[in-house]
């Protein structure tokens, strides 16, 4: 896992969470401003999967438990996809709150993956 890429995922997820929370607060239904950041987060997590497959072969092995790291990554990848499906089917303001909570959770899970991978 690469430190700067993990920080990028965390930053995008936190910005997306704030945007979704603001749109929830103004009582608007899900729109492109809340769903597209979830798509971007999912794409970044796909790239993270590829990076984590390649990293041990180029001299960047995990310090922590690889199984725990992979379970965090699979869960973090699935969460924005499920939240997007929720937001597309439930067109109420509450879907934005779900997107905000999921994005915040992805940020925390990515931080945990970084700490496990790098050993801090």
């Amino acid at each position: 896992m690469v430190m700067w890429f993990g920080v990028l995922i965390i930053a995008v997820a936190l910005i997306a969470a704030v945007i979704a929370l603001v749109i929830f607060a103004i009582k608007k239904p899900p729109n492109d401003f809340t769903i597209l950041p979830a798509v971007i987060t999912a794409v970044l997590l796909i790239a993270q999967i590829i990076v984590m497959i390649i990293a041990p072969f180029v001299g960047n092995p995990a310090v922590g438990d690889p199984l725990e790291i992979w379970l965090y990554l699979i869960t973090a990848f699935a969460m924005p996809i499920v939240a997007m499906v929720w937001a597309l089917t439930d067109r109420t303001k509450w879907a934005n709150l779900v997107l905000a909570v999921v994005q915040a959770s992805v940020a925390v899970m990515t931080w945990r993956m970084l700490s496990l991978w790098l050993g801090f």
Side-chain angles (χ1 to χ4, degrees):
M1 191 164 191
V2 181
M3 180 72 166
W4 68 265
F5 194 69
V7 171
L8 174 70
I9 295 171
I10 292 169
V12 168
L14 288 176
I15 291 168
V18 169
I19 292 170
L21 201 57
V22 167
I23 293 178
F24 167 75
I26 60 175
K27 299 179 181 177
K28 298 282 185 181
N31 55 28
D32 290 344
F33 294 112
T34 57
I35 294 175
L36 283 178
V39 172
I40 293 169
T41 303
V43 169
L44 287 173
L45 288 168
I46 288 172
Q48 184 62 48
I49 291 170
I50 295 167
V51 167
M52 285 177 60
I53 290 171
I54 296 171
F57 297 110
V58 295
N60 185 11
V63 174
D65 182 21
L67 177 62
E68 187 176 0
I69 296 168
W70 277 100
L71 290 175
Y72 270 113
L73 183 58
I74 292 166
T75 305
F77 172 67
M79 287 172 58
I81 295 172
V82 171
M84 284 185 291
V85 170
W86 181 316
L88 291 172
T89 56
D90 178 23
R91 304 295 293 173
T92 64
K93 67 174 184 164
W94 296 103
N96 288 325
L97 184 61
V98 169
L99 285 166
V101 169
V102 163
Q103 293 288 9
S105 299
V106 167
V108 170
M109 293 174 80
T110 304
W111 178 256
R112 181 66 180 140
M113 283 185 283
L114 268 174
S115 66
L116 285 170
W117 191 277
L118 300 174
F120 59 86

